[in-house]
């Protein structure tokens, strides 16, 4: 891929803007030598304004999503993309969330531009476990764990029961719930189905990947070993 197209696809600017950056000598190799538009330099050795280029296709990010942000670029108000560098919003291929968290749910949210990886994570066959911590409106009655683990719980307006889920009790109104599928507003609807209400909800873990070292509103680029944790 030509240098201009490569850098433009990473979101650093239009092709015209990248051509101008090359003419001004802002695109260099690691030794500081200005690169021409037809340079054959390896991706990892190219600098833009003295900084290494973002990764090519296959980039994976983990965001610790705060409350009040939505995942769809079609929504109004604050978007999760507002927490990332502006150029990430215009990368080609597009940088997409792997699944979603609603506006009132915080915690672990993955992004990638690798379509195969995205579908691998969200595939029902993968059954990637996702762990949530919830604060409930009313104390537990003691039957919830058995109901959720039964594989027989049916949500309103659905015709297929939920897969078994594991409930760990933190205290009377705080729980940790592990899901192996991802239906619309699933945690909230599960508790509604048994007569309770979720006041606060955070996703703390995807597979074995947790939020260690990632403060609320912050994000990090994942390594191959990090991504492997998603699958166990």
């Amino acid at each position: 891929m030509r240098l201009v197209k490569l850098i433009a696809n990473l979101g650093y600017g239009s092709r015209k803007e990248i051509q101008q950056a090359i003419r001004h000598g802002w695109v260099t190799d690691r030794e500081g030598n200005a690169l021409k538009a037809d340079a054959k330099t390896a991706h990892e050795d190219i600098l833009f304004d003295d900084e290494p280029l973002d990764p090519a296709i296959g980039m994976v990010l983990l965001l610790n999503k705060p409350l009040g942000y939505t995942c769809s670029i079609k929504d109004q108000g604050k978007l999760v993309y507002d927490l990332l560098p502006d150029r990430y919003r215009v990368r080609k291929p597009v940088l997409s969330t792997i699944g979603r968290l609603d506006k009132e749910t915080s915690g672990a949210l993955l992004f990638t531009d690798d379509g195969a990886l995205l579908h691998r994570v969200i595939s029902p066959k993968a059954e990637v476990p996702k762990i949530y911590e919830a604060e409930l409106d009313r104390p537990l009655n003691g039957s919830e764990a058995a109901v959720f683990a039964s594989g027989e719980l049916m949500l309103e307006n659905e015709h297929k029961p939920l897969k078994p889920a594991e409930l760990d009790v933190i205290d009377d109104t705080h729980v940790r719930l592990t899901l192996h599928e991802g239906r619309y507003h699933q945690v909230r609807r599960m508790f509604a189905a048994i007569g309770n209400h979720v006041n606060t909800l955070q996703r703390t873990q995807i597979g074995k990947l947790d939020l260690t070292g990632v403060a609320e509103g912050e994000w990090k680029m994942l390594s191959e070993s990090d991504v492997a944790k998603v699958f166990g």
Side-chain angles (χ1 to χ4, degrees), residues 9 149 152:
N9 282 357
E152 298 176 355

Side-chain angles (χ1 to χ4, degrees), residues 8 20 28 30 49 53 58 66 83 95 112 123 136-137 171 180-181 189 201:
Q20 292 175 340
T28 65
R30 290 189 176 274
D49 201 16
L53 290 182
L83 300 168
L95 184 68
T112 189
S123 169
L136 305 175
D137 188 53
D171 62 39
H180 301 277
E181 58 186 329
R189 294 170 68 202
L201 184 63

Side-chain angles (χ1 to χ4, degrees), residues 7-187:
I7 300 175
N9 282 357
L10 294 177
Y12 286 90
S14 65
R15 294 194 187 189
K16 182 177 180 180
E17 289 169 333
I18 301 307
Q19 289 170 342
Q20 292 175 340
I22 290 173
R23 285 198 293 269
H24 283 93
W26 298 339
V27 181
T28 65
D29 60 21
R30 290 189 176 274
E31 284 70 48
N33 301 308
L35 298 178
K36 303 292 186 181
D38 59 354
K40 305 295 185 182
T41 309
H43 186 115
E44 62 271 17
D45 293 327
I46 300 171
L47 305 184
F48 187 91
D49 201 16
D50 297 326
E51 295 291 334
L53 290 182
D54 296 329
I57 297 174
M59 184 168 76
V60 187
L61 310 179
L62 171 65
L63 171 71
N64 188 346
K65 176 191 169 299
L67 296 175
Y69 286 80
T70 56
C71 294
S72 173
I73 58 174
K74 297 179 181 179
D75 290 338
Q76 300 296 317
K78 297 187 292 186
L79 306 178
V80 291
Y81 292 94
D82 298 337
L83 300 168
L84 306 177
D86 288 343
R87 63 182 180 273
Y88 287 6
R89 198 181 301 210
V90 292
R91 279 175 64 101
K92 297 178 183 178
V94 66
L95 184 68
S96 302
T97 61
I98 301 180
R100 294 185 178 184
L101 293 178
D102 64 50
K103 189 175 182 179
E104 302 306 323
T105 303
S106 62
L109 180 66
L110 295 173
F111 296 76
T112 189
D113 58 1
D114 183 340
L117 175 64
L118 187 154
H119 290 293
R120 183 184 172 199
V121 176
I122 66 174
S123 169
K125 295 181 180 179
E127 295 192 352
V128 172
K130 300 174 185 67
I131 301 178
Y132 296 80
E133 291 189 5
E135 177 189 6
L136 305 175
D137 188 53
R138 291 182 290 281
L140 298 165
N141 62 31
S143 66
E144 294 86 356
V147 172
F148 292 166
S150 69
E152 298 176 355
L153 180 63
M154 191 82 72
L155 297 181
E156 185 176 0
N157 298 322
E158 296 202 11
H159 305 287
K160 183 179 180 180
L162 296 175
K163 292 180 179 179
E166 296 85 54
L167 182 73
D168 297 308
V169 177
I170 300 173
D171 62 39
D172 283 352
T173 56
H174 292 82
V175 298
R176 184 175 297 110
L177 184 64
T178 303
L179 304 183
H180 301 277
E181 58 186 329
R183 303 198 197 182
Y184 180 71
H185 289 176
Q186 183 172 341
V187 176

